[in-house]
Amino acid sequence: MKTVDQETQDLSIKSLESTFNKLSNAYKSMTEKGSNTTLVKKRQNAVKIGLESLKGIWNGEDFSYDEQIILTSKEVLQGILPSVEQQIAKAKEGSSQKTLNTHRLTALKLAIESLENRLI
């Protein structure tokens, strides 16, 4: 995996933690309403595994998932990229939304890269 400066590492971890929390809240809300939670749960698990992969590489934390789970997580994270890219394109220049989604895009790409490296 390419070398990433400390600030990018910190922002990426915070971004993925925020994304995970958002998905957790969405899952809880959708469960209470009786909505279908399959996609949210898939994304929540994928973000969690991507986050753990980055923390494992950057902070030396444990990471113990089998190849199939890593592959599935990588695919789910790749599926999130287009919607984040669309949100960035729609956001006003210099807005907090654009900044937040730019950090999220970077974090997701780094998480995908870290998962790809674990498959080699």
Side-chain angles (χ1 to χ4, degrees), residues 33-44:
K33 292 176 185 171
S35 302
N36 186 340
T37 58
T38 307
L39 181 62
V40 171
K41 193 67 182 163
K42 257 181 160 172
R43 288 181 173 182
Q44 182 186 29

Side-chain angles (χ1 to χ4, degrees), residues 13-94:
I13 287 173
K14 280 183 189 169
S15 178
L16 289 178
E17 287 172 342
S18 170
T19 302
F20 178 79
N21 289 334
K22 259 185 141 170
L23 289 166
S24 296
N25 291 336
Y27 178 77
K28 182 180 176 199
S29 172
M30 290 172 76
T31 301
E32 289 169 359
K33 292 176 185 171
S35 302
N36 186 340
T37 58
T38 307
L39 181 62
V40 171
K41 193 67 182 163
K42 257 181 160 172
R43 288 181 173 182
Q44 182 186 29
N45 287 334
V47 168
K48 176 179 173 265
I49 291 166
L51 177 61
E52 288 178 16
S53 180
L54 288 178
K55 285 182 172 182
I57 290 169
W58 294 335
N59 303 339
E61 295 181 17
D62 285 345
F63 184 86
S64 54
Y65 291 95
D66 67 40
E67 188 175 320
Q68 187 55 51
I69 291 173
I70 294 170
L71 187 60
T72 301
S73 297
K74 181 181 85 88
E75 290 169 356
V76 170
L77 293 178
Q78 286 172 322
I80 297 172
L81 294 179
S83 65
V84 176
E85 289 167 343
Q86 285 176 341
Q87 290 172 21
I88 291 170
K90 288 180 188 175
K92 290 181 183 166
E93 203 56 50

